Amino acid sequence: MTPNGFTALPQADLILASSSVTRRQMLVRAGVSHTYHPVSVDEGAMRDAALADGMPPADIAVMLAEVKAAAASQQRSADRTAYVLGCDQILLADHGLVNKPSDLAMARDQLLALSGTTHHLLTAAVLFRDGQRIWHHLATARLTMRVFDAEFVDAYLAALGDDALISPASYQIEGLGAQLLAGIDGCHYSILGLPLLELLAFLREHGMAPRGTAP
């Protein structure tokens, strides 16, 4: 919870429907007053069902972000004026979607499969207010992995530990994940998990301003 952010919405709260420390830190560092309300959804089952129905990966990312925002909006129905933010990311490689690894062995296999390749990271954000979707944004980043061997991957995962299990392909570009990459074409914030600049632009349209200056 950040009740004393640099900026705030007039007579409304921003609620992040996520327990992601990285997303929360991005909002805190950008000075955005917000609270967070994690929700539990079966992302894997919904993703698999959507793929089986032929839904494009970009639409799946938006759908999952919307499900999270909708769930938090329903659970926080007393806060009808609040803006509820849901987010999701999908990593799309040549061999298909890459999910969060369930263990370090799976993380190792993912990294070795991505060595020397280029993939796309889709980052979706959806805002709900009063039970309705009012905004969404989808960002696409293109990331190229450098060539690395099994010895490097083992050392990388040993250093990263369980943090390797919180994102597809086990990279966090703000930290050790920079060691995996040869090039990036896309928004840094979106790769971290939130299209921050687009979100801020929308919230400013809805009155977000530095505290003490909002109408």
Side-chain angles (χ1 to χ4, degrees), residues 104 107-116 144-161 164 169-172 175-182:
L104 291 177
R108 185 179 192 271
D109 290 343
Q110 286 184 353
L111 286 170
L112 290 174
L114 290 170
S115 172
T144 300
M145 307 287 264
R146 69 179 186 84
V147 177
F148 40 75
D149 57 20
E151 183 178 3
F152 174 84
V153 171
D154 289 340
Y156 173 79
L157 292 175
L160 203 60
S170 303
Y171 62 73
Q172 294 84 43
L176 290 181
Q179 297 277 358
L180 302 171
L181 298 167

Side-chain angles (χ1 to χ4, degrees), residues 6 8 209-215:
F6 171 66
R211 286 182 177 277
T213 65

Side-chain angles (χ1 to χ4, degrees), residues 55-155:
M55 183 180 290
D59 292 344
I60 295 175
V62 174
M63 179 268 291
L64 290 172
E66 180 170 342
V67 166
K68 296 171 188 176
S73 180
Q74 184 175 21
Q75 293 169 17
R76 296 288 293 267
S77 58
D79 303 318
R80 299 189 68 84
T81 62
Y83 294 77
V84 183
L85 174 65
C87 303
D88 191 75
Q89 287 187 296
I90 285 182
L91 193 159
L92 183 60
D94 288 341
H95 56 278
L97 300 190
V98 178
N99 298 320
K100 292 179 183 178
S102 57
D103 53 38
L104 291 177
M106 183 177 177
R108 185 179 192 271
D109 290 343
Q110 286 184 353
L111 286 170
L112 290 174
L114 290 170
S115 172
T117 69
T118 297
H119 63 267
H120 292 87
L121 186 64
L122 311 178
T123 302
V126 171
L127 273 175
F128 263 58
R129 194 180 194 200
D130 199 15
Q132 302 294 322
R133 187 173 92 172
I134 62 169
W135 175 85
H136 80 276
H137 182 80
L138 178 72
T140 301
R142 186 172 181 268
L143 297 93
T144 300
M145 307 287 264
R146 69 179 186 84
V147 177
F148 40 75
D149 57 20
E151 183 178 3
F152 174 84
V153 171
D154 289 340

Side-chain angles (χ1 to χ4, degrees), residues 169-193:
S170 303
Y171 62 73
Q172 294 84 43
I173 66 168
E174 72 276 21
L176 290 181
Q179 297 277 358
L180 302 171
L181 298 167
I184 290 174
D185 181 11
C187 172
H188 175 81
Y189 295 118
S190 294
I191 295 170
L192 292 181

